Amino acid sequence: MQCKIIKVPVHEGTGREGCARGAEALEAAGLAQALASLGHQVLDGGVVRPGPLPAIAHANPAVRKLAELSAWTAAIAAAAHAASETGFPVFIGGDHSVAAGTLTGLSRRAAESGRPLFVLWLDAHPDFHTLDTTESGNLHGVPLAYACGLPGFEGYFPPLATPVDPARICALGIRSVDPAEARALGASGVTIHDMSEIDRRGMAVLLEAFLDRVRAADGLLHVSFDVDFLEPAIAPAVGTPVPGGATYREAHLVMELLFESGLVTSLDLVELNPDLDVDGRTASLVVDLAASLFGRRILPLSLKAG
């Protein structure tokens, strides 16, 4: 497989600057080497940079860095659309505002190809605020709502060529939802599996049901992985940690199932803040998880079947 690693050093979506160096940390932890060792061709897709800032302001006084995020979103969407023409793009951030651009660029590409785009959202948070409902003002909390075409972004974020259908989104590992997000999600059609449901039913059962839907529709599958999907004890390098996340084995199981499905066509790796890491262990874990998604196994499947 041809993998294109695209660096997106955006930090304006969060209140901390360290995420801008997340891509560098993943590179230093050996992301490209890990994928190449599995037989994939790894290409340097370059660094995304925003264009000129638009002159915009919002009535919600909490909203922060709106012009910067609007410019970033336009640039990332263009990069995602271009990169997805061939190969498998891997977007390494950067905070989760990256997804406002990747989802919209990929959705445009999917529409042009005549295939539906599905999204697996691995995150502690649904990031389903609008510019009107956000209280923190940190715009890494809005990308999924924007990409789905919720109202209130017109005139502030780039116009959507093709919104993502909320019914084709599965948010897995959720454990922190604000009331406004809960109301919007309830009316949206997004499939939500929180950690309580995962505890009761199991990670594999829930994920495989979603993968069956993607397969039946001949869909393209984008995986948007936020480091805070993981339990903070094993992945401390996040600015918004929420206890009770996915364990080491649960996270690897997700990646193994995704590889075995053969359905994934693009990937975000976001919210890694190396300033908060301990001896680089979070970056190393994210690289290991990415390697599992691209086929790394302890034993070949043929031996397991025997």
Side-chain angles (χ1 to χ4, degrees):
M1 182 184 298
Q2 183 188 87
C3 305
K4 302 175 184 176
I5 298 180
I6 300 154
K7 295 178 282 295
V8 193
V10 56
H11 66 83
E12 287 87 350
T14 180
R16 294 178 178 266
E17 295 188 2
C19 279
R21 294 183 292 279
E24 296 175 8
L26 290 173
E27 285 188 315
L31 177 62
Q33 294 88 333
L35 302 188
S37 72
L38 296 167
H40 302 292
Q41 180 188 15
V42 180
L43 303 179
D44 183 349
V47 183
V48 179
R49 299 293 185 190
L53 303 188
I56 50 176
H58 197 271
N60 180 352
V63 170
R64 304 169 64 251
K65 304 290 186 179
L66 178 58
E68 290 85 348
L69 264 297
S70 180
W72 270 113
T73 298
I76 297 166
H81 178 260
S84 57
E85 183 174 9
T86 60
F88 188 120
V90 179
F91 304 93
I92 56 175
D95 64 62
H96 216 162
S97 65
V98 166
T102 58
L103 289 178
T104 52
L106 294 168
S107 183
R108 177 185 163 201
R109 175 65 65 190
E112 291 170 354
S113 71
R115 297 174 66 189
L117 178 69
F118 286 76
V119 178
L120 179 63
W121 189 263
L122 301 174
D123 198 332
H125 312 85
D127 295 346
F128 216 67
H129 272 295
T130 69
L131 299 178
D132 295 307
T133 65
T134 178
E135 296 181 2
S136 72
N138 293 326
L139 297 186
H140 65 168
V142 308
L144 201 57
Y146 162 69
C148 287
L150 265 64
F153 292 95
E154 301 86 352
Y156 300 104
F157 272 40
L160 288 177
T162 308
V164 178
D165 184 346
R168 296 177 181 147
I169 298 171
C170 175
L172 191 66
I174 301 298
R175 54 195 188 278
S176 178
V177 183
D178 291 336
E181 290 179 298
R183 290 190 293 272
L185 285 165
S188 72
V190 173
T191 298
I192 300 286
H193 297 309
D194 63 12
M195 287 305 299
S196 175
E197 187 177 8
I198 290 169
D199 290 342
R200 294 167 187 268
R201 299 182 59 193
M203 190 76 80
V205 169
L206 299 172
L207 178 55
E208 286 175 335
F210 178 64
L211 294 176
D212 285 344
R213 290 172 50 202
V214 180
R215 189 177 295 108
D218 189 29
L220 305 171
L221 177 57
H222 177 66
V223 175
S224 196
F225 175 87
D226 186 315
V227 175
D228 70 22
F229 169 72
L230 303 168
E231 167 57 42
I234 63 170
V238 292
T240 53
V242 183
T247 65
Y248 178 90
R249 269 309 312 154
E250 285 175 327
H252 272 289
L253 175 62
V254 168
M255 298 306 179
E256 291 160 3
L257 291 172
L258 289 171
F259 170 71
E260 290 168 15
S261 76
L263 296 169
V264 184
T265 51
S266 52
L267 173 67
D268 297 332
L269 298 172
V270 300
E271 292 285 351
L272 174 66
N273 187 333
D275 293 351
L276 304 175
D277 212 354
V278 178
D279 298 325
R281 74 184 196 206
T282 309
S284 294
L285 175 55
V286 173
V287 168
D288 285 345
L289 290 170
S292 285
L293 189 149
F294 281 92
R296 180 185 289 173
R297 292 291 181 274
I298 296 173
L299 290 175
L301 291 178
S302 59
L303 288 180
K304 292 184 179 183

